[in-house]
Amino acid sequence: MKRDTICVQGGYRPKNGEPRQIPIIQSTTFKYDTSEDMGKLFDLEASGYFYTRLQNPTNDAVAAKICELEGGTAAMLTSSGQAANFYAVFNIANCGDHVVASAEIYGGTYNLFAVTMKKMGIEFTFVPVDATEEELNAAFRPNTKAVFGETIANPALSVLDIERFAKAAHAHGVPLIVDNTFATPINCRPFEWGADIVTHSTTKYMDGHGAALGGCIVDSGKFDWNRYAEKFPGLCSPDASYHGITYTERFGKEGAFITKATAQLMRDFGSMQSPQNAFLLNLGLESLHVRMKKHCENGQKVAEYLSGHPRVSWVRYCGLKGDKYHKLAEKYLPNGSCGVVSFGVKGGRKAAEAFMKHLKVASIVTHVADARTCCLHPASATHRQMSDEELVAAGITPELVRFSCGLEDAEDLIADIDHAFRAIAEER
Ligand SMILES: *Cc1c(COP(=O)(O)O)cnc(C)c1O
């Protein structure tokens, strides 16, 4: 089926007389006739539900829809995008391991990698998103287990050259993990370009209404773990906590990654998405294809307006012809990128903050990729833990405003921006 149809109907096929809408299975636990039946589930010998910390039917239906949208073989929901990225990496990298990541990534992910996972003994090397093949190859070590990047970086809005990153990852026998939050599978399917694992903060466009926090991990099923079995003992050798089953043997390369992440990481860390949130997420997914078009249309109009504005020092939006990432966007995002535009306000940090406080249609929120237009000053919010040098490496400057175009009329958004610029001009 085509993407639009999957958005509406994917993941859940009711049988005769069953509810048309995905039911919310609001139950922590599931009943069995015998202890033997239940034992089989605990041994991963049978598939089924026993406790919502591991799996829940509502969540599975919604994960299956996202899996179909991305063209993967298996998927799981998590309680947030943070949990998705943590699980995706920690599922294959242990204490003493190393990961190569693009420097232009979401601030929360940067903290997770550079601070928290470092404490767990996992080292990250951050490479420029524009790194050449040689620079990329030089970042690898014998203990490197994965490469990580974002299709469209939040908030730097650079476009990842997925093929180049995938090539480098595969040359070193490791998978490429791509956070596809901003593009969504409507505008880019990273698996088609060589990515192996895709992650999402479903909190953003997928939900799209600022209603429910969530995340998702999808496996392409293409990475041949067994070929590099010595690098991935967690997937390719017996798991003592499940009577010595080997994930790649039992579930194949199509199912090993997600089964291990569910059976071990979800079991032990418990970052489950609530079935209520999965239901809300599915409502968002039903209109994702319709909404993404409008977000992109508004993003393009606002970016074009800003690029002609005398109080704007620069605009970053890959839909603009002159944009540094326009060529990559034509390749990877031919139908549009997203609704988020970054730009610099002349006058630096102070002017950026002053501009934002005069906006009336757009509101200042941490959130992004929402039906309502929202904006943020990353240097004083999401990225405030970073030093000036780290900010520059992450593609964020003090005057940067992240403007996330919602689903309103573009003329109202432009009038709002125009009004805010006039107001700061009067203040001077
Ligand atoms: C927001 C975001 C995250 C984190 O997701 P949460 O749902 O807020 O935990 C990760 N990656 C990207 C690209 C994001 O925009």
Side-chain angles (χ1 to χ4, degrees):
M1 282 194 291
K2 302 258 195 277
R3 262 172 266 200
D4 291 12
T5 311
I6 300 170
C7 277
V8 184
Q9 297 209 14
Y12 173 67
R13 307 219 154 66
K15 296 189 201 80
N16 197 32
E18 286 185 351
R20 188 64 193 92
Q21 180 55 283
I22 296 181
I24 306 172
I25 305 297
Q26 193 66 43
S27 181
T28 58
T29 196
F30 300 82
K31 178 217 170 240
Y32 287 91
D33 289 341
T34 69
S35 300
E36 264 174 298
D37 289 347
M38 178 154 278
K40 283 189 190 129
L41 298 176
F42 271 90
D43 284 350
L44 303 180
E45 268 171 20
S47 63
Y49 299 98
F50 54 99
Y51 194 53
T52 285
R53 167 147 52 73
L54 280 101
Q55 276 185 294
N56 171 285
T58 308
N59 292 29
D60 280 2
V62 180
K65 176 179 279 189
I66 298 173
C67 189
E68 280 182 53
L69 280 172
E70 287 288 4
T73 55
M76 68 195 282
L77 298 188
T78 56
S79 56
S80 67
Q82 286 300 106
N85 282 328
F86 172 58
Y87 283 18
V89 174
F90 196 63
N91 205 31
I92 46 176
N94 296 311
C95 182
D97 287 341
H98 172 257
V99 175
V100 176
S102 162
E104 297 199 5
I105 51 174
Y106 174 65
T109 310
Y110 180 84
N111 272 333
L112 169 69
F113 290 173
V115 182
T116 301
M117 290 185 79
K118 191 175 177 201
K119 286 183 200 156
M120 304 169 90
I122 301 167
E123 286 254 19
F124 288 77
T125 297
F126 294 95
V127 293
V129 68
D130 309 322
T132 61
E133 207 173 321
E134 294 74 52
E135 284 173 306
L136 276 177
N137 287 333
F140 286 84
R141 301 180 193 167
N143 58 343
T144 303
K145 296 299 165 75
V147 177
F148 182 94
E150 293 177 5
T151 313
I152 306 170
N154 174 10
L157 300 185
S158 46
V159 177
L160 188 74
D161 192 339
I162 302 173
E163 274 191 321
R164 177 156 19 108
F165 273 66
K167 192 174 160 211
H170 297 160
H172 293 85
V174 302
L176 172 64
I177 303 171
V178 171
D179 181 331
N180 197 31
T181 297
F182 268 23
T184 81
I186 300 305
N187 286 338
C188 179
R189 297 211 287 187
F191 294 156
E192 290 172 357
W193 303 102
D196 302 285
I197 307 287
V198 156
T199 60
H200 282 280
S201 165
T202 62
T203 317
K204 313 295 165 56
Y205 287 119
M206 283 191 168
D207 167 314
H209 300 80
L213 216 67
C216 185
I217 309 173
V218 189
D219 183 5
S220 67
K222 287 191 206 141
F223 194 82
D224 189 0
W225 309 103
N226 272 333
R227 194 169 154 204
Y228 309 99
E230 77 293 344
K231 271 190 203 286
F232 305 106
L235 285 160
C236 306
S237 59
D239 178 356
S241 70
Y242 279 105
H243 303 302
I245 69 156
T246 299
Y247 292 99
T248 47
E249 244 170 48
R250 180 73 66 84
F251 304 101
K253 65 186 195 328
E254 295 76 18
F257 188 89
I258 294 295
T259 307
K260 176 179 179 288
T262 300
Q264 283 181 349
L265 303 185
M266 199 55 94
R267 177 195 64 188
D268 297 348
F269 292 112
S271 319
M272 195 59 174
Q273 187 167 135
S274 83
Q276 279 279 350
N277 278 8
F279 177 83
L280 293 170
L281 166 58
N282 185 57
L283 290 182
L285 290 169
E286 287 182 2
S287 63
L288 182 64
H289 55 302
V290 183
R291 289 183 291 106
M292 283 314 284
K293 275 198 196 91
K294 175 78 172 172
H295 281 297
C296 293
E297 208 180 281
N298 282 354
Q300 187 71 30
K301 285 183 184 160
V302 165
E304 280 168 13
Y305 170 76
L306 286 167
S307 50
H309 202 288
R311 299 202 168 270
V312 174
S313 48
W314 55 267
V315 182
R316 154 107 327 126
Y317 188 71
C318 64
L320 291 175
K321 285 236 159 56
D323 190 80
K324 188 178 170 191
Y325 294 97
H326 189 63
K327 264 217 127 51
L328 284 174
E330 281 182 322
K331 174 174 175 178
Y332 294 109
L333 304 154
N335 301 322
S337 55
C338 64
V340 187
V341 181
S342 292
F343 63 98
V345 179
K346 278 188 188 159
R349 182 186 283 259
K350 279 238 147 60
E353 285 173 344
F355 162 78
M356 283 173 52
K357 100 178 166 220
H358 288 293
L359 292 168
K360 295 212 159 65
V361 179
S363 43
I364 300 175
V365 294
T366 329
H367 195 41
V368 67
D370 188 63
R372 287 142 293 220
T373 293
C374 44
C375 71
L376 180 80
H377 184 231
S380 55
T382 44
H383 289 65
R384 78 181 288 136
Q385 320 301 347
M386 285 187 169
S387 70
D388 282 356
E389 285 116 52
E390 285 170 340
L391 279 176
V392 171
I396 295 145
T397 43
E399 76 278 11
L400 184 152
V401 172
R402 182 183 73 185
F403 197 86
S404 168
C405 299
L407 300 174
E408 302 92 340
D409 193 308
E411 278 182 30
D412 288 331
L413 301 182
I414 288 170
D416 195 33
I417 293 169
D418 185 57
H419 158 84
F421 276 128
R422 280 175 207 278
I424 56 168
E426 275 164 26
E427 273 175 6
R428 289 212 181 132

